[in-house]
Amino acid sequence: MLAAATDCEPREIAGLDVFRVEADLPAELTEAAHAAVLAALATADRYGHTLTRTSEYVWAEISREANVTPTESPDTAYRALLGHTTTCTACRTGVNCPDATRLVRAWRDTRR
């Protein structure tokens, strides 16, 4: 979701208890891209924004301690969400998409 919102490949950092994604922000962010970044960050357990003299990026962390429901794995639910957001015109332009909202809820439910 961050890749689609920022048009750059995010960095992925795997820790023992958390999976972290960092995405550089472009110098100018359209209103639609800004909304898409915020929507992506909202799916994380923890998120933030870092601004230094040389860079600006957002980060999102997802805990590995989430419980999995027996009906669907978090990986399967996340792949469904990712597949939708990368092909949905509304998601790629930052418009509120009810399908993405439903898929985010389903993914979060599998992580509980």
Side-chain angles (χ1 to χ4, degrees), residues 3-53:
T6 62
D7 284 332
C8 77
E9 192 62 32
R11 296 174 295 283
E12 300 172 2
I13 304 157
L16 293 175
D17 60 346
V18 71
F19 179 76
R20 182 178 174 115
V21 178
E22 298 176 351
D24 294 322
L25 293 175
E28 294 294 324
L29 211 65
T30 66
E31 187 175 324
H34 185 256
V37 167
L38 293 177
L41 295 177
T43 65
D45 295 320
R46 289 173 299 284
Y47 56 87
H49 172 249
T50 301
L51 176 64
T52 68
R53 288 160 67 185

Side-chain angles (χ1 to χ4, degrees), residues 1-2 18-21 38-47 60-85 98-112:
M1 291 173 72
L2 286 173
V18 71
F19 179 76
R20 182 178 174 115
V21 178
L38 293 177
L41 295 177
T43 65
D45 295 320
R46 289 173 299 284
Y47 56 87
E61 292 181 346
I62 301 165
S63 173
R64 292 183 183 264
E65 296 179 10
N67 294 324
V68 178
T69 62
T71 57
E72 187 173 24
S73 75
D75 187 53
T76 302
Y78 182 71
R79 287 179 190 274
L81 172 62
L82 188 60
H84 172 78
T85 58
D99 291 332
T101 302
R102 180 183 51 78
L103 289 167
V104 166
R105 283 189 195 123
W107 174 57
R108 289 188 76 102
D109 287 346
T110 63
R111 296 177 43 235
R112 290 190 178 137

